[in-house]
Amino acid sequence: MRLMPRWAGPLAVKAAVFITVMCCALAALLGVLVHVSVTNQTVGQARELALSRLADATHAYEAGDALLPNAGVDPEGLPGSLRSLAVSGQRGTMVSTHRGRPTMWAAGPVSGHRALAVEIDYSQQSRTIAGLDTSILWSSVPAIGATVLVGVFAVSRVTRRLHGTARVARRISAGDLDARVDDPRTKDPTLPQDEVAAVAAALDSMAASLQGKLLSEQRFTADVAHELRTPLTGLHAAAELLPPGRPTELVRDRVAALRTLTEDLLEISRLDTGRERLEADAEELGALAKRVVRASGTDTEIRVVRDALVETDRRRLERVLGNLVANAHKHGAPPVVLSVNGPVVTVRDHGGGYPGYLVAHGPQRFRTEGGARGHGLGLTIAVGQAEVLGARLSFRNAPDGGAVATLILPVAGR
């Protein structure tokens, strides 16, 4: 069960935590400053009052008059440290608890190494400070909550825009070159241009540039294939008129290779345009695989572990499996095994395996590596046709050697 919206990713969570921590720290700092300031002021006023009464009590004591209430020589409850300070000849003040309530003491020296002290009830000042601390605490809670909500709202707007940009990037990587972010800020120069708008504009610009280059490549491929078709048709007819012999066989073989290459280029150009339409029907996968192997004329072992009824375009699926089998015999080594296990078809050879770039990035047209022969257009066409079928085609190398192509097809009725 999803407890948070899709846009509430790690960035929003981190921002919320950061804002909360900073608000708490700021509230604590302000609370401490206010507490210290008010406490110093309150204590200062109480100290001045206590020292003033101590001065009056001292004058009365020296004059032999009766002492004021709450004043006395070495009274009960006088803190020992304050008494020691007074006996040493100095005056001082101290807050302590006397008879269960806060008391401000002021003490000074008198004859006989004794201390004259007065006490002032400090309860009201103590309650004032405690009330202030409580007010600071309870006022900080809603202030922090409101700040966090506002901060999360502001961050969520940014994260939603970032997630929208990421979704468009994924659509582009999946082949939807018409996808654009179209951030309103990039179209209206009067709006503030922030970093997210800059990323969106850069992504849209990149997508447009990439689309233009791919369309140019597709047009070039299609134009070349169409232009080659006519002279190749004439060349094929002329080759058929040559007298029998080894040179004629070589010419016919090369002409056939050129015709196959041209047809492959035309097929790739059609796949690139994304206009291929699926003509799906229910097919028995095991029987279809056997037809493909028979048509290939190769020594390919067929293993039907579990047959399946798949919803697919028979012609396109035969093209995919035929290309995989042909590639395994051309670039791999026997034995070549075609296995059917439900909607999963694997084609494995026991050669040197696929090149590293192919396993990592998929087939690339005409690419060669290390002087080895490239994998031509067969696997590129297989991947394109698999996408039209709604299937997933992947490539890997077996741990004990050999290349493995795995095709996962949609099952009929699902």
Side-chain angles (χ1 to χ4, degrees), residues 16 19-28 136-151:
I19 293 172
T20 303
V21 171
M22 293 302 298
C23 287
C24 291
L26 181 60
I136 291 174
L137 177 62
W138 287 108
S139 63
S140 297
V141 172
I144 292 174
T147 304
V148 170
L149 290 177
V150 172

Side-chain angles (χ1 to χ4, degrees), residues 110-150:
V110 293
S111 60
H113 296 285
R114 292 183 298 174
L116 175 63
V118 297
E119 60 177 293
I120 297 176
D121 187 5
Y122 194 70
S123 301
Q124 181 62 39
Q125 292 86 338
S126 180
R127 286 194 296 269
T128 300
I129 294 175
L132 174 65
D133 292 341
T134 303
S135 299
I136 291 174
L137 177 62
W138 287 108
S139 63
S140 297
V141 172
I144 292 174
T147 304
V148 170
L149 290 177
V150 172

Side-chain angles (χ1 to χ4, degrees), residues 310-321:
V310 295
E311 190 79 22
T312 188
D313 187 319
R314 179 178 59 81
R315 179 183 64 84
R316 297 184 190 280
L317 181 55
E318 288 178 349
R319 177 68 160 153
V320 173
L321 297 181

Side-chain angles (χ1 to χ4, degrees), residues 172-185:
I172 293 173
S173 64
D176 184 6
L177 298 181
D178 292 324
R180 297 292 185 273
V181 179
D182 288 332
D183 193 308
R185 295 173 183 265

Side-chain angles (χ1 to χ4, degrees), residues 215-240:
L215 289 176
S216 297
E217 179 184 341
Q218 292 170 8
R219 285 194 296 268
F220 175 77
T221 302
D223 292 344
V224 168
H226 281 291
E227 291 298 326
L228 287 175
R229 231 177 178 184
T230 301
L232 279 175
T233 301
L235 188 59
H236 176 73
E240 294 296 328

